[in-house]
Amino acid sequence: MPLRQIALIVLLAFTAGCASTTTLVTRHSAESIEAPVSKLLLIGRAADLDMRQQWEQACATQLKHNGLRLRSSHSLWPGQLPESEALMQEALSQGFDGVMIGEITSLLLLPLQMPAGNVVTDERRPSSDASQRSPGFQITLTGKEPASDPVGPQDIEFQLQRPSGKVLWNGLLRTNEANQIEAIARSQCKRLHKTLSKSGLLP
């Protein structure tokens, strides 16, 4: 087997083995008994439209269980989101009984990086890295590469509410994940679904 294929297999195995961890702190949960949301509008609030779409698509795969009807905001508003009041009025008019909003703008601050000691192609190296580059494919699993400054965990606020404005649930999710939007979304929304279905707010 060519060396290039072997290196690619090793890289894919390494990526698949990276753990994704998200912890959650609930800050508010509805005190009265609420009917679970049956039709959910999912919103990843971010200025970057491509990131918003990627995040919503990946998150939806983790929330869409047990008959929950879900629609992502980018399918309704491919451009910028409307103001909050207009957004909720539209959600109400379309029959949504729940709106999940993730404030994901801070994810834009995540730099492109790999864990220390792992180097994969020039395209994945930080632009500030001025070290010499050799042509072709390169993968390093051992050795001492200069480590970039570590990225702290990302605290992202999520809120589940009725289109009328009544807040059903609010919490912070702290995610320790690589800089892949889809991986971050899956980790966050898997944790969200577990919490909200257990509390009876999602089916």
Side-chain angles (χ1 to χ4, degrees):
M1 183 180 293
L3 180 60
R4 184 184 182 92
Q5 290 182 357
I6 294 174
L8 183 58
I9 290 171
V10 171
L11 172 62
L12 292 174
F14 174 80
T15 303
C18 290
S20 63
T21 56
T22 294
T23 56
L24 179 148
V25 177
T26 296
R27 302 195 302 183
H28 169 80
S29 188
E31 296 179 358
S32 60
I33 297 176
E34 291 281 343
V37 172
S38 60
K39 186 177 181 182
L40 180 70
L41 174 61
L42 177 63
I43 301 171
R45 206 192 309 264
D48 187 302
L49 303 181
D50 289 337
M51 188 187 79
R52 174 179 143 217
Q53 180 175 347
Q54 291 173 35
W55 185 91
E56 289 179 352
Q57 287 176 334
C59 179
T61 65
Q62 303 302 312
L63 297 179
K64 204 171 182 179
H65 295 289
N66 303 321
L68 176 67
R69 291 176 293 162
L70 184 149
R71 191 161 182 188
S72 300
S73 73
H74 70 268
S75 67
L76 294 174
W77 301 282
Q80 296 294 334
L81 289 169
E83 296 295 327
S84 294
E85 185 175 347
L87 191 153
M88 292 303 164
Q89 287 178 353
E90 182 65 20
L92 190 60
S93 70
Q94 295 205 28
F96 292 100
D97 61 346
V99 179
M100 173 71 77
I101 303 172
E103 302 289 349
I104 62 172
T105 299
S106 66
L107 295 178
L108 292 172
L109 303 178
L110 285 170
L112 190 63
Q113 66 172 18
M114 289 287 287
N118 294 272
V119 178
V120 181
T121 71
D122 289 345
E123 287 76 16
R124 290 191 61 92
R125 299 177 72 165
S127 59
S128 59
D129 183 0
S131 60
Q132 292 184 352
R133 289 155 168 72
S134 58
F137 186 91
Q138 176 185 342
I139 178 168
T140 303
L141 296 179
T142 59
K144 295 182 179 180
E145 288 287 327
S148 58
D149 293 335
V151 178
Q154 297 290 310
D155 290 336
I156 307 298
E157 181 178 6
F158 286 82
Q159 182 159 294
L160 176 64
Q161 65 181 76
R162 301 292 188 193
S164 63
K166 181 178 182 180
V167 176
L168 301 178
W169 183 89
N170 179 278
L172 286 176
L173 280 91
R174 173 165 291 188
T175 301
N176 292 284
E177 183 53 82
N179 54 347
Q180 296 177 347
I181 294 300
E182 292 88 351
I184 293 170
R186 286 191 296 268
S187 178
Q188 291 172 336
C189 297
K190 182 178 180 179
R191 187 70 176 87
L192 269 179
H193 181 264
K194 181 179 180 181
T195 298
L196 295 177
S197 61
K198 185 176 180 180
S199 66
L201 293 173
L202 288 181

